[in-house]
Amino acid sequence: MSIKLLSTDKFGIKTFSLEDGCGNYAEVITYGARIHRLCIKNKDGILTEVLAGFDNAEGYMGDNPYFNAVIGRVANRIGKGEFTLGGKRYSLFKNDVNNHLHGGKEGFDRKIWDGEIVGDTLVLSRISPDGEEGYPSDLVVNVGYTFKNGELKIEYKALTRGLTLCSLTNHAYFNLSGFEQDVLETLIRINSDRITEIDGELIPTGNYVDIKNTVYDFSKGKTIGQDLKKKDKFLDIAGGYDFNYVLNHQEGKPVAEAYSPSSGIKMEVFTDMPCMQLYTGNFLEGLEGRKIYTKHSAFCMETQLFPNACNVESFPQITLEKGELFQSETVYKFSICD
């Protein structure tokens, strides 16, 4: 495998290329520490672009749904854009109607990170200062990308200088057919038997929903579209799948899989995170990038901690004490399945 700096644009945004040693490659840019491109060989040996995106880094500066970026300081939604920590009430920017979403108005996805090649890893880093988007304390963040033998590994580290919240993810938008079709025929499996219940604004309530043999159940594997149009309260609220799955971990086995019969490309997800958000591009409505991205033209599998945990006492918490390190790893493994 190899990593190299491809270019630096007029904004100071760097583009790096990562080759996995098997003919696949990725490009990562320092704007949002995001995966700019991800090209995987299909069953015919043809490189296939499996991520949504724009032709250049400047494209991501416009309106886009967090395409392939690192999300922080806290991924997903925080109800009413408020939380209490250390006896103090904090107010965050409300960028999702009445709620705070994916770090706020200018979250980690809207920042230019530092980039450095360290051995076989591309390391992107920044310091999120005390008060950024309303969050307390400085947070020193490092995200490492390694691409080897079809495995794209993302390593997250964040060290806080004071009491704060932290929950990081990557908001990659996948289409394993290479965007030759929507994702409704994509087969997926998720090792989970419950999701966190949501209210009418997609905010987790603190309750769980047993999903066995329901429209949300992907434990045995099925296409995204199989149950998508069935009448269901939560599907109606979300406009499709946009739910937090509580994962069942089995040593050495993926927590989730996706497969496109048309391309033969299979993706497996490995993570130490307790949850994963399945999102089926419900709010894509004709966004023009490398392609025109419409509803259900891509899906996301965002590994994460429990969303809205800062407002739900019964959830495992996302609090970091002074000097405490947030650390996690997620791997997206690609292969061909005939």
Side-chain angles (χ1 to χ4, degrees):
M1 61 161 294
S2 65
I3 308 175
K4 60 184 177 182
L5 175 63
L6 291 181
S7 63
T8 304
D9 71 8
K10 62 183 179 182
F11 302 103
I13 298 168
K14 296 179 179 180
T15 301
F16 293 86
S17 174
L18 295 81
E19 298 180 1
D20 77 333
C22 298
N24 308 305
Y25 76 91
E27 290 181 7
V28 173
I29 60 175
T30 53
Y31 184 66
R34 68 189 354 111
I35 311 166
H36 173 45
R37 309 191 78 104
L38 181 57
C39 294
I40 306 295
K41 285 185 176 180
N42 68 10
K43 61 186 178 183
D44 298 316
I46 300 170
L47 277 171
T48 302
E49 177 64 74
V50 298
L51 284 183
F54 297 91
D55 289 329
N56 53 53
E58 191 172 355
Y60 299 99
M61 294 181 175
D63 186 31
N64 77 91
Y66 308 96
F67 276 161
N68 319 324
V70 170
I71 302 298
R73 186 173 298 197
V74 172
N76 217 304
R77 293 171 173 84
I78 294 178
K80 302 188 188 316
E82 296 178 340
F83 65 93
T84 298
L85 188 62
K88 182 179 178 181
R89 193 69 173 166
Y90 291 90
S91 294
L92 308 172
F93 186 85
K94 296 177 182 178
N95 58 322
D96 183 48
V97 191
N98 300 311
N99 309 296
H100 177 84
L101 174 64
H102 290 330
K105 184 179 181 180
E106 293 186 2
F108 289 6
D109 62 298
R110 294 281 175 175
K111 306 297 183 181
I112 298 178
W113 296 52
D114 294 325
E116 179 184 10
I117 299 170
V118 181
D120 62 356
T121 302
L122 173 62
V123 178
L124 299 113
S125 59
R126 70 176 301 263
I127 297 175
S128 175
D130 179 26
E132 185 174 74
E133 293 296 322
Y135 290 100
S137 304
D138 292 347
L139 188 71
V140 182
V141 187
N142 290 275
V143 176
Y145 288 102
T146 307
F147 197 26
K148 185 183 297 185
N149 299 327
E151 298 186 12
L152 180 63
K153 180 169 67 174
I154 311 174
E155 297 175 279
Y156 305 92
K157 293 181 181 179
L159 181 67
T160 179
R161 294 172 178 167
L163 185 64
T164 194
L165 304 179
C166 181
S167 176
L168 307 180
T169 192
N170 186 289
H171 210 309
Y173 280 75
F174 296 103
N175 183 316
L176 302 182
S177 78
F179 296 89
E180 294 302 315
Q181 55 189 227
D182 62 30
V183 298
L184 298 185
E185 296 304 313
T186 299
L187 287 157
I188 69 170
R189 186 191 66 81
I190 303 173
N191 193 355
S192 171
D193 49 29
R194 58 180 179 161
I195 61 173
T196 47
E197 181 188 65
I198 56 170
D199 66 14
E201 295 182 342
L202 302 176
I203 306 299
T205 63
N207 298 320
Y208 297 95
V209 178
D210 184 348
I211 62 173
K212 189 173 179 60
N213 297 322
T214 71
V215 295
Y216 320 112
D217 186 4
F218 286 93
S219 62
K220 296 178 182 178
K222 65 181 180 183
T223 65
I224 288 174
Q226 179 173 315
D227 295 323
L228 193 62
K229 294 185 179 180
K230 290 185 178 179
K231 188 66 177 176
D232 175 84
K233 175 183 176 182
F234 295 136
L235 285 178
D236 289 346
I237 290 171
Y241 292 97
D242 194 3
F243 308 120
N244 175 57
Y245 284 76
V246 182
L247 299 170
N248 299 323
H249 290 85
Q250 294 177 277
E251 187 174 354
K253 294 186 177 181
V255 296
E257 300 172 69
Y259 169 66
S260 168
S262 64
S263 69
I265 296 174
K266 178 182 179 181
M267 181 179 79
E268 297 170 285
V269 183
F270 299 83
T271 190
D272 53 13
M273 290 284 201
C275 302
M276 186 187 79
Q277 190 86 5
L278 173 66
Y279 173 59
T280 52
N282 312 326
F283 301 113
L284 294 174
E285 296 180 349
L287 177 62
E288 188 172 353
R290 284 192 289 264
K291 302 272 188 176
I292 296 177
Y293 303 113
T294 56
K295 187 173 184 177
H296 306 320
S297 62
F299 70 92
C300 305
M301 289 181 164
E302 307 156 64
T303 60
Q304 61 185 0
L305 298 179
F306 280 75
N308 199 38
C310 53
N311 291 314
V312 180
E313 192 173 328
S314 61
F315 281 173
Q317 289 302 296
I318 59 173
T319 304
L320 285 183
E321 302 285 344
K322 181 179 180 180
E324 189 175 359
L325 180 69
F326 170 94
Q327 189 167 359
S328 185
E329 178 180 298
T330 292
V331 175
Y332 297 99
K333 180 180 179 181
F334 297 89
S335 60
I336 296 301
C337 183
D338 294 329

